[in-house]
Amino acid sequence: MHVLVLGGTTEARALAGLLHGEVRVTSSLAGRVASPRLPAGEVRIGGFGGVDGLVEWMAGHAVDAVIDATHPFAERISFNAARAAATVHVPLLALRRPGWVPGEGDDWRSVASLEEAARALDGLGDRVFLTTGRMGLAAFAACPQWFLVRSVDAPDAPVPARTEVLLDRGPFALEGERELLVRHRIDVVVTKDSGGAATAPKLTAAREAGLPVVVVRRPPVPSGVPVAATPEEAAAWVLRG
């Protein structure tokens, strides 16, 4: 049995580790990170060239099942995977870590897009901790606020005129997030609802500091695609075959 894991996420690496030795597993990484953490099993890096390219690759490599374990905001590849899997009649499962849920004391502003997040900053303060990754910063390029942009790799232009870049990779500890907010005199945090524990401490630190958090809602999984919440659930789905 040959399983294609579309990933690069922590969950994708964990799933590859669970499947390696049980089935043939190939993990596909987009190649957007310069030095990715490689999973167990076979690895391919780079895009497929859209739906047609993915269909051709799956057919040519005798793929029996596909796990979409991409980032919750990798909307294009998720819909390409759904169309390609349907075309070649291969079962598809989405692996999605649960989203974050606000708790008592949280001051969250839910928005539908990065553009809406940029507009939501008006009146929330001048110093922004932007943790949406290096892609999509053009949505904030015209904003007058000062931005601390944290990402694994350096962002490409355009970026806001007043920007400091912090190159770092999670997981992040709560004490470090507390110190960061104080050291940079942060007024507001902007994040995507990525879910998971690796980057959640910033939300706790913001709550403790009484800071507003602008949260970009994640896009939906393609219609009709079943969802697993953990690598263990996804592995069980594969092995039930």
Side-chain angles (χ1 to χ4, degrees), residues 62-141:
V63 171
D64 299 297
V66 181
I67 309 292
D68 172 16
T70 56
H71 191 277
F73 283 83
E75 188 173 10
R76 178 177 297 177
I77 185 59
S78 292
F79 279 87
N80 286 353
R83 291 177 59 191
T87 299
V88 296
H89 306 290
V90 168
L92 168 68
L93 177 76
L95 172 56
R96 292 288 186 273
R97 68 187 80 140
W100 291 317
V101 178
E104 184 177 356
D106 283 319
D107 180 11
W108 290 11
R109 320 294 173 90
S110 178
V111 297
S113 66
L114 291 175
E115 291 75 15
E116 191 175 332
R119 294 192 294 270
L121 292 175
D122 289 345
L124 294 182
D126 183 59
R127 300 180 68 83
V128 182
F129 182 27
L130 185 58
T131 67
T132 57
R134 68 186 183 91
M135 309 296 290
L137 294 187
F140 301 89

Side-chain angles (χ1 to χ4, degrees), residues 1 3 15 18-19 22-23 64-65 67 91-94 226-241:
M1 183 179 190
V3 179
L15 175 61
L18 291 171
L19 294 178
E22 300 288 340
V23 299
D64 299 297
I67 309 292
L92 168 68
L93 177 76
V227 179
T230 67
E232 291 77 14
E233 288 180 24
W237 179 86
V238 169
L239 297 176
R240 285 196 302 266

Side-chain angles (χ1 to χ4, degrees), residues 2-4 13 25 29 103 115 130 156 164 166 193 197 215 238:
H2 186 196
V3 179
L4 173 63
R13 289 192 298 273
V25 56
L29 312 183
E115 291 75 15
L130 185 58
D156 297 324
E164 179 175 334
L166 174 61
D193 180 17
V215 181
V238 169

Side-chain angles (χ1 to χ4, degrees), residues 14-42:
L15 175 61
L18 291 171
L19 294 178
H20 185 56
E22 300 288 340
V23 299
R24 179 188 174 193
V25 56
T26 300
S27 296
S28 177
L29 312 183
R32 291 176 177 171
V33 175
S35 300
R37 295 171 178 169
L38 298 181
E42 302 172 35

Side-chain angles (χ1 to χ4, degrees), residues 102-110 120-121 123-131 146 148 174 176-191 200-215:
E104 184 177 356
D106 283 319
D107 180 11
W108 290 11
R109 320 294 173 90
S110 178
L121 292 175
L124 294 182
D126 183 59
R127 300 180 68 83
V128 182
F129 182 27
L130 185 58
T131 67
W146 177 90
L148 176 65
L174 178 57
E177 299 293 68
R178 289 168 174 155
E179 191 276 335
L180 182 148
L181 295 182
V182 171
R183 173 161 45 95
H184 293 280
R185 308 190 311 279
I186 297 299
D187 298 314
V188 54
V189 177
V190 179
T191 187
K202 65 190 170 192
L203 302 173
T204 303
R207 180 175 63 245
E208 292 176 348
L211 300 182
V213 180
V214 178
V215 181

